[in-house]
Amino acid sequence: MEQPLAFIDPKAKLGKNVVVKPFSYIYDDVEIGDGTIIEPNVTIMPGARIGKNCHIFPGSVISAVPQDLKFAGEHTTTEIGDNTVIRECVTIHRGTVDKMKTVVGSNCLLMGYVHIAHDCIVGNNCIFANYAALSGHCIVGNHVIIEGKTGAQQFMVIGDHSFIGGGTFIRKNVPPFVKAAEEPIQYVGVNSVGLSRRGFSEEKIREIQEIYRLIFLQKGVLMKDALEMVRQQIPQSEERDLILNFIENSPNGIIKRP
């Protein structure tokens, strides 16, 4: 359903049952999937690729030119998965030559005033609370919750199933399955409540807690030695290997020990 007071460029591609409400502006080189609702006063700029059954609220700007002085006008995109809700005044910028795209996955909720900068990759089933912001080139895994007024500096990586407390500034990578908060940001525990809600068994949660006890809660033990202890003391599993690989592939470091 296209309202006469909305502007939709003839070159834009809209799927079936897309609703565009008054005073929204959709540029050319835009693709919107079936069943998506665009509320009033939304701006969707060139390069947007929006999935099915999304809901975008007033004031949001999708696929604007990145705030990067190195951007030279290259053709890049902003890709948003299915069933994602984008609340009021969210801004998502398209990519640069680095990744050529910015991505937000499926089944995500971006609350009011969230900012996703150029070349960020956000996984599926993520929740960003009000005023959370990612600087350019960040990577966020699946099932990540970032509470309000939280910011990440450029090139940060946030692992699957992690939880970031409100008002935190993310200066180091956040491994999977953990809770992180405080200033400066540090490990404050395993995200056991979130893991339980997503079907992880008590045994698996205890395994993850023991891994992080060895990594974060031993005094006077170097990180490389703690990781070796994990290999020796914890049987091989998908979760163990995910944690080890994440930490070993974080050359700029991970969050602090308590």
Side-chain angles (χ1 to χ4, degrees), residues 14 89 101 104 107 145 153 179-180 202 206:
L14 275 61
C89 300
K101 61 185 179 181
V104 176
N107 305 302
I145 296 176
Q153 71 179 33
K179 295 183 293 185
E202 291 185 9
R206 285 195 297 269

Side-chain angles (χ1 to χ4, degrees), residues 21-96:
K21 295 188 179 180
F23 311 115
S24 286
Y25 196 112
I26 300 177
Y27 285 70
D28 63 345
D29 190 26
V30 168
E31 299 177 11
I32 301 176
D34 298 348
T36 287
I37 300 172
I38 310 296
E39 297 287 356
N41 297 298
V42 172
T43 303
I44 302 180
M45 304 185 80
R49 306 288 184 264
I50 299 171
K52 299 177 181 178
N53 301 312
C54 294
H55 195 169
I56 303 178
F57 281 73
S60 294
V61 179
I62 310 298
S63 203
V65 170
Q67 298 174 141
D68 186 335
L69 296 177
K70 300 183 297 297
F71 180 70
E74 55 265 30
H75 182 270
T76 59
T77 58
T78 297
E79 301 177 8
I80 299 170
D82 298 337
N83 308 307
T84 285
V85 175
I86 297 174
R87 294 301 305 250
E88 296 81 1
C89 300
V90 169
T91 53
I92 306 175
H93 292 172
R94 61 190 176 101
T96 70

Side-chain angles (χ1 to χ4, degrees), residues 107-184:
N107 305 302
C108 293
L109 169 59
L110 307 182
M111 298 185 193
Y113 294 90
V114 163
H115 175 65
I116 308 292
H118 60 88
D119 301 290
C120 288
I121 308 294
V122 177
N124 300 320
N125 302 291
C126 292
I127 299 174
F128 288 21
N130 301 75
Y131 299 99
L134 301 180
S135 300
H137 315 280
C138 291
I139 298 175
V140 178
N142 300 312
H143 297 281
V144 171
I145 296 176
I146 299 180
E147 289 198 320
K149 298 182 180 179
T150 295
Q153 71 179 33
Q154 292 183 341
F155 297 102
M156 293 297 97
V157 182
I158 301 172
D160 293 350
H161 298 282
S162 57
F163 179 97
I164 314 295
T168 304
F169 191 66
I170 304 168
R171 298 182 178 90
K172 295 289 184 180
N173 290 352
V174 180
F177 312 117
V178 307
K179 295 183 293 185
E182 309 293 346
E183 178 56 37

